Amino acid sequence: MSVRTLHDQAVSRHGWVQAVAAALAGLIAMVVVAALGLWAAGASDLPQDAFPQVVAATVVTAVGGTVELSGSAGGLAGTQVGLTVTPLSVTLVGALVVGAGFLRPLRHRAVAGAPELVGWAVRIAVVWLLGLLGLALAARKTFTVDLGDDTLSELGDLFGVRPKVGFTTDVPLTLLVGLLWLAAVLVLALLVSRGAPLPARLLRFQESVRPAAHAMVVLLLACVALGLVIALVVAATRGQARETFAVILLGLPNVVWLVFTIGLGATWNGRVEGPFGLPMPPVLDEVLRGDDTAALNLSSMAEYDGRVWWLVVVDAVLLLGAAFVTAARSPARMRAWQHAVHMALALVLTVLTLCLIGRITAHYGLSVFGVNDLSGLSGELFLHPDVWPALGLAALWGLVTGFLGALAARPVHRRGETPSL
């Protein structure tokens, strides 16, 4: 069989039809999850039929796009508004669907040439950018903010104070960041999939990179699954099912991955004031709500609920499981200290990613004649990590659990000779 025939068969397995299916499936899945989450959060009641635009904006932010907020309140008043948060539930669903669509035509292949993989990725990227462009152009709207009671409304009419908040999308930046997001998803899909083919020059890296990358993805998905079980129990036993499902469909990974880093010993600094708040668990909101910036860590949370120390135990179990998976998927000739180093590096990169994507900033202010916090319509929420201590703790956890996981996995090794420690 000629090289040209093999090339033609490869293209037929992942041509433009498959690219359209893979890219659109990811975008449609994200739109559906965002729409259901926003509906559960009450966004379907937004004025001026703004629900579709808000859904589009949510998907745009889920892939790292930029949604710019603006405010106005007439000549005698001023507004300040800003929001930086990634709806990671929508992000996760999109990444899983797009990654699966990218890998599906590559199944049952041991090796694939770099030009073939690049060509397949480019086809998906073209369709992806066209779909993202449509969403970015649709994500723009302006709302009028209700001042509340009748007196304030009458004063607002008298002085021409009609606060408005609008949003629009930085289209070029959104397309650039969305393309980088897609590239990261496709590269990660190749790294974590045991059966995905790699170019011949990269095969030597699969033994050291793929097991650890796969284990980190399993670890993060296990955190989400555990959080989902807890959220469903809360919805069934404590009421507020609609609000809980809004959290599940929009920001469950935001919460569980934050809690995971706290269980490692990391500290996040933040503050909550005004109408803003963190969805769950309530202890997070209690620690952060106040006039000053608060440190959110195991010690501060334990002052409100001593059960948070169980997070250390849960993290230890999850990390030992991830270390076992890493070692079990690695060659038997690899020594325990090498597993420890691989686990540490993988966990550091994972925690760094969580610190970067888990940041939250939100503020809104309305003032009339220079008087701020009118009718409680002002508020602020921010949450930022202490990155370097978190990375140091991740390295320590990775070294310890990686070594122990390697010892536990020695009896299940199938390839190579069993090494000494």
Side-chain angles (χ1 to χ4, degrees):
M1 187 176 293
S2 67
V3 175
R4 182 176 180 83
T5 301
L6 291 173
H7 177 267
D8 292 341
Q9 289 181 351
V11 171
S12 67
R13 284 193 296 267
H14 41 75
W16 283 105
V17 174
Q18 292 81 2
V20 170
L24 289 187
L27 288 171
I28 291 172
M30 297 175 78
V31 168
V32 171
V33 172
L36 291 175
L38 291 168
W39 171 82
S44 58
D45 298 328
L46 289 171
Q48 305 171 26
D49 298 324
F51 184 69
Q53 291 88 342
V54 175
V55 172
T58 302
V59 176
V60 166
T61 58
V63 299
T66 301
V67 174
E68 300 174 345
L69 301 181
S70 61
S72 63
L76 300 177
T79 60
Q80 307 85 38
V81 61
L83 176 65
T84 303
V85 63
T86 303
L88 291 179
S89 292
V90 182
T91 304
L92 180 60
V93 168
L96 292 175
V97 174
V98 172
F102 174 70
L103 294 176
R104 192 174 188 279
L106 302 175
R107 294 175 301 171
H108 313 304
R109 305 267 307 275
V111 180
E116 178 188 347
L117 292 176
V118 171
W120 172 222
V122 167
R123 292 184 183 92
I124 294 178
V126 171
V127 181
W128 173 264
L129 288 177
L130 290 175
L132 190 59
L133 175 62
L135 289 171
L137 293 176
R140 53 190 65 207
K141 194 68 176 180
T142 300
F143 303 93
T144 300
V145 180
D146 187 5
L147 287 176
D149 58 56
D150 294 337
T151 303
L152 284 176
S153 296
E154 291 176 0
L155 289 174
D157 293 338
L158 176 64
F159 292 108
V161 177
R162 296 180 180 85
K164 296 181 179 180
V165 176
F167 63 88
T168 186
T169 306
D170 186 335
V171 176
L173 183 58
T174 294
L175 295 180
L176 174 60
V177 177
L179 182 60
L180 294 176
W181 181 91
L182 177 66
V185 168
L186 300 186
V187 170
L188 185 60
L190 283 176
L191 288 178
V192 303
S193 175
R194 193 173 190 176
L198 289 176
R201 293 182 179 180
L202 299 180
L203 289 177
R204 67 181 184 273
F205 296 109
Q206 67 179 353
E207 292 184 350
S208 59
V209 175
R210 270 188 167 171
H214 173 82
M216 290 301 102
V217 171
V218 171
L219 171 67
L220 295 180
L221 293 179
C223 290
V224 173
L226 183 59
L228 177 61
V229 172
I230 295 174
L232 292 176
V233 171
V234 170
T237 59
R238 299 184 182 180
Q240 297 183 334
R242 186 164 177 167
E243 292 82 355
T244 302
F245 279 107
V247 173
I248 292 173
L249 293 167
L250 294 175
L252 182 60
N254 298 72
V255 178
V256 296
W257 292 343
L258 165 68
V259 172
F260 169 73
T261 63
I262 292 175
L264 298 179
T267 296
W268 292 66
N269 299 308
R271 183 174 64 179
V272 176
E273 64 176 356
F276 295 117
L278 293 172
M280 67 176 191
V283 65
L284 301 180
D285 189 84
E286 293 174 1
V287 173
L288 295 176
R289 189 168 294 279
D291 296 330
D292 300 321
T293 299
L296 185 65
N297 51 37
L298 287 170
S299 298
S300 62
M301 292 171 64
E303 295 178 4
Y304 293 86
D305 191 339
R307 293 174 297 178
V308 299
W309 290 108
W310 282 101
L311 292 178
V312 179
V313 178
V314 174
D315 276 15
V317 172
L318 290 173
L319 288 174
L320 286 172
F324 179 86
V325 170
T326 300
R329 292 170 67 96
S330 301
R333 64 179 178 274
M334 194 171 291
R335 291 178 169 83
W337 68 266
Q338 292 175 304
H339 287 296
V341 172
H342 292 166
M343 182 71 180
L345 291 175
L347 187 58
V348 166
L349 291 175
T350 300
V351 170
L352 175 60
T353 301
L354 298 183
C355 288
L356 294 176
I357 66 177
R359 297 167 179 260
I360 301 175
T361 301
H363 63 87
Y364 178 76
L366 172 64
S367 62
V368 180
F369 296 120
V371 179
N372 296 316
D373 194 24
L374 181 61
S375 184
L377 291 176
S378 297
E380 181 181 24
L381 163 64
F382 70 89
L383 190 61
H384 299 154
D386 284 340
V387 177
W388 291 111
L391 298 184
L393 289 165
L396 180 60
W397 275 93
L399 289 171
V400 174
T401 57
F403 189 85
L404 295 176
L407 296 182
R410 290 185 69 189
V412 302
H413 282 157
R414 294 292 185 269
R415 291 179 296 154
E417 298 178 357
T418 303
S420 60
L421 297 180

